[in-house]
Amino acid sequence: MDRKTTAAAGTLAALAAVVLRLVTGPPHLGWYLAAWALFAAALWQAARLPERRAAVLVLAGGITLAATGLAAPPSSSTDSFRYAWDGRVQAAGISPYDHPPADPALVRLRDDWLFPAACDAPALWPLPGGGCTRINRPTEPTIYPPVAQGYFLLVHWLSPDGVRHKALQLGGFAAAVAVLAILCRAAGARRAASWAWCPAVPVEAVNNAHVDLLGVLLVVLAFTAVRGRGALLGAAVAAKLLPVTAVPGALSGVLSPGRGPGGGVAWRRALGVVVPAGLVIALSYLPYVLASGASVAGYLPGYLKEERYDGPGGGNRYAVLRLLVPDGWAPWAAVALLGLVVLAVLRYGDAGRPWRGALLVSGSLLLLFTPGYSWYALLVVALVALDGRWEWLGVALAGAVAYTAGPAAPDTPGTPAYAVAALAVLAGWAVRRSRGDHLLSSARKD
């Protein structure tokens, strides 16, 4: 190897060591920042390498980094314990929307892993009748949509007895590598590096096994496959809801007048996305609606209230907007601005690059609503790899800062982190605009 390749490999080795520390120890902001600094350095070094050498490093480094997430049990999230429980409940012929884990009707499904006899370990939740569980919010029903539930059931069926969290982590590893392979083929190795080497992938997609990765995989497939875009996007939405932000990207430019040889071309394209997506969502919900009725909404309404999205000035939501407008205006301003972003994509978006509009909508939602969970940005990371607009990676870093400090912590560093991420996006937009490389590159002067 030459000097540049050796330096890049050394940076990746250091990054792998830091990520290994992240997944084997308690969350620590300093380690997260170190990982992201090494990630940025690796991206800069990859840009100076020949394409073939960069491709080897991206693939080998991406697989190695993803594998570090398998080195320990979930380190900073207990969500995968709920996944395992939902799969077990369904295998017993019970809808996961009907009973919370604490329900005495499900006592026969409990084991010593999810419901340990000793309750002196950290990250355990008390049960109303005594005892404890690893499952968070045990008195609430599941929040996860039906395609995710199907995935949980599949993992349960395929898992040997006693495998515990490892099956879900292996599923995350396989999906992360699949996304990497698709991105390398569709966007090239250098762009794919933003996914392959991003610390969020081994930590959140593999170690914590967040089901968000299933939605990411389906969106990436939708934007790179020849057929089935609408159906794949519908499946993504029915896996984790947040991928609904990718749908406007698939509809880029449909409101642009005079697009195509006939006025109905854009609308036929829109129907070709919306109708299959709606059918997949409806069909995936149907068996659960028949079994559980209106309770298929699960804990979603309670979650929105818990996270303070339902009122002005709540918690750390709308943090960037609240620096600019009164707290009471922030929720309405967030909805209005996100609506304008969607309209801009529908009017000016590039139909040939649907991921570009999807990145704008997905990233804008996170900047406007400032969630405290780092795995929500996995979709943004994948869309950056497709589009190459690196400035949006700051959104993922801001989410990691917010989560490590505590999603509801007062005076959280997540607020300035999101503010800096927003400024980085605006700076990137200004630079690209000066070069004539617009985010909505098909914009026209009427």
Side-chain angles (χ1 to χ4, degrees), residues 6-434:
T6 301
T11 302
L12 289 177
L15 175 57
V18 172
V19 170
L20 190 62
R21 167 58 181 79
L22 282 172
V23 302
T24 56
H28 190 281
L29 183 57
W31 287 110
Y32 271 102
L33 294 177
W36 277 82
L38 289 167
F39 171 44
L43 289 179
W44 179 78
Q45 289 170 326
R48 304 166 63 207
L49 295 177
E51 180 67 23
R52 181 172 296 181
R53 291 179 184 173
V56 172
L57 279 179
V58 167
L59 286 171
I63 293 171
T64 301
L65 282 168
T68 61
L70 301 171
S75 58
S76 55
S77 171
T78 58
D79 286 356
S80 62
F81 301 128
R82 170 75 75 156
Y83 305 166
W85 176 253
D86 283 0
R88 183 181 302 177
V89 168
Q90 292 178 91
I94 302 169
S95 169
Y97 302 104
D98 285 345
H99 305 275
D103 194 325
L106 302 181
V107 168
R108 62 187 175 87
L109 300 179
R110 298 180 183 179
D111 65 1
D112 292 338
W113 171 49
L114 292 177
F115 296 83
C119 296
D120 53 355
L124 295 176
W125 293 67
L127 297 171
C132 59
T133 180
R134 299 182 190 276
I135 305 168
N136 58 42
R137 303 176 182 88
T139 59
E140 303 294 345
T142 190
I143 193 175
Y144 300 102
V147 168
Q149 294 297 338
Y151 171 70
F152 304 154
L153 178 59
L154 178 64
V155 171
H156 177 85
W157 279 340
L158 296 176
S159 300
D161 292 338
V163 72
R164 299 186 173 184
H165 60 272
K166 191 59 69 178
L168 288 160
Q169 289 182 331
L170 287 170
F173 173 78
V177 173
V179 171
L180 172 58
I182 297 168
L183 291 174
C184 282
R185 181 176 180 179
R190 286 195 180 89
R191 287 188 179 180
S194 66
W195 172 267
W197 302 340
C198 181
V201 175
V203 174
E204 304 300 355
V206 182
N207 179 256
N208 290 322
H210 283 291
V211 75
D212 301 61
L213 182 57
L214 177 60
V216 172
L217 175 59
L218 290 166
V219 169
V220 170
L221 283 170
F223 285 151
T224 57
V226 176
R227 297 179 183 275
R229 176 170 295 173
L232 287 165
L233 287 174
V237 174
K240 192 56 197 291
L241 298 184
L242 270 178
V244 73
T245 56
V247 175
L251 303 177
S252 293
V254 296
L255 297 184
S256 180
R259 182 65 56 87
V265 173
W267 288 108
R268 285 197 295 271
R269 179 166 64 86
L271 290 174
V273 171
V274 174
V275 172
L279 283 174
V280 168
I281 293 171
L283 289 174
S284 65
Y285 268 102
L286 181 60
Y288 293 99
V289 170
L290 293 176
S292 304
S295 64
V296 293
Y299 185 56
L300 180 59
Y303 168 80
L304 295 176
K305 184 176 182 180
E306 175 188 311
E307 290 296 315
R308 310 291 291 276
Y309 286 110
D310 63 335
N316 297 316
R317 309 294 75 83
Y318 317 107
V320 176
L321 284 175
R322 287 163 60 192
L323 297 174
L324 306 172
V325 302
D327 285 359
W329 295 7
W332 307 106
V335 172
L337 288 171
L338 187 63
L340 289 175
V341 170
V342 171
L343 285 175
V345 170
L346 299 180
R347 172 64 176 83
Y348 298 110
D350 186 346
R353 297 181 177 88
W355 49 81
R356 183 161 293 181
L359 174 59
L360 179 58
V361 176
S362 301
S364 296
L365 180 139
L366 298 183
L367 288 175
L368 292 169
F369 289 82
T370 60
Y373 300 106
S374 51
W375 51 92
Y376 287 6
L378 285 169
L379 178 58
V380 169
V381 175
L383 293 172
V384 166
L386 281 172
D387 199 47
R389 297 178 186 272
W390 317 112
E391 62 269 20
W392 286 95
L393 289 172
V395 178
L397 174 57
V401 171
Y403 183 65
T404 307
D411 301 320
T412 173
T415 297
Y418 269 118
V420 171
L423 291 174
V425 168
L426 291 174
W429 171 80
V431 170
R432 296 179 191 280
R433 184 176 179 85
S434 68

